[in-house]
Amino acid sequence: EDIAMLIEELGAMRFMVEIGGEVKTKGVNQRGRPWMIGVEAPDMNARHVHKVLPVRDSAMATSGDYRNFFEFEGETYSHTLNPQTGWPVTHNLASVTVLHDDAGFADAIATAFSVLGPIQTMRIAEQNNLRVFAILRSGPDEYEELYSQPMQQYLREHRINGQRP
């Protein structure tokens, strides 16, 4: 966030900066379109893009269970702990992406949503007008996508060539 403010103070009218997985954008890319930022697939064995989202004048942060995890006695456990139990979370929410004006807020809320699970995440996102995209595990190498209403509206407003990104 501080680097983005510095870049803005230096007079940049459009930019995209990424540090540690959090992204902050201003304006549009060189083609006059929103910055297209990939959301990684929640695949523990490989790295590839699952979805590309348009990001304009906003920050984006993703939290998930697929990069930091551990295995114990044949079971895989998330590095994200449920503060009520002290144990790793056990729900099927694999990844949460949040778009917000503030990168720090987006990062914090994405992590909090990773703890809460899909039902509470979408309820809170709807109540607070938050743009949230979530990926749930529905089977081995199978995923389901959830979008908050504010995210759906944002994506409708930022269609590229009439198609949803």
Side-chain angles (χ1 to χ4, degrees):
E1 197 75 30
D2 291 339
I3 291 176
M5 286 191 298
L6 176 62
I7 293 170
E8 216 168 332
E9 287 173 10
L10 293 172
M13 300 304 294
R14 57 187 178 96
F15 61 83
M16 188 276 296
V17 64
E18 181 273 336
I19 298 176
E22 283 71 52
V23 173
K24 178 75 175 182
T25 69
K26 180 177 179 183
V28 294
N29 65 21
Q30 65 276 13
R31 291 191 242 158
R33 296 180 177 165
W35 300 92
M36 301 304 287
I37 310 296
V39 176
E40 192 172 7
D43 185 336
M44 295 175 181
N45 301 311
R47 289 184 174 243
H48 54 96
V49 173
H50 175 83
K51 187 77 163 182
V52 176
L53 297 176
V55 183
R56 179 179 181 170
D57 296 324
S58 195
M60 180 174 122
T62 299
S63 182
D65 67 358
Y66 49 93
R67 285 292 152 246
N68 296 310
F69 59 92
F70 64 96
E71 294 181 12
F72 179 71
E73 295 183 355
E75 291 289 323
T76 301
Y77 296 93
S78 170
H79 76 292
T80 305
L81 301 179
N82 179 332
Q84 293 178 326
T85 65
W87 289 93
V89 296
T90 57
H91 51 67
N92 65 338
L93 182 55
S95 172
V96 180
T97 298
V98 176
L99 297 182
H100 194 270
D101 293 340
D102 183 90
F105 180 86
D107 185 33
I109 201 74
T111 300
F113 284 161
S114 290
V115 171
L116 293 174
I119 294 169
Q120 285 183 292
T121 290
M122 286 302 153
R123 182 178 52 80
I124 292 169
E126 299 293 338
Q127 290 173 344
N128 293 282
N129 199 36
L130 297 173
R131 294 171 289 171
V132 175
F133 166 62
I135 304 172
L136 283 66
R137 293 185 197 291
S138 57
D141 298 321
E142 294 178 17
Y143 307 108
E144 179 183 339
E145 298 178 350
L146 293 177
Y147 299 84
S148 67
Q149 287 295 326
M151 180 64 95
Q152 290 177 28
Q153 178 63 33
Y154 175 84
L155 293 174
R156 279 192 294 274
E157 292 169 1
H158 292 88
R159 289 178 192 235
I160 306 298
N161 295 329
Q163 296 182 348
R164 188 172 173 178

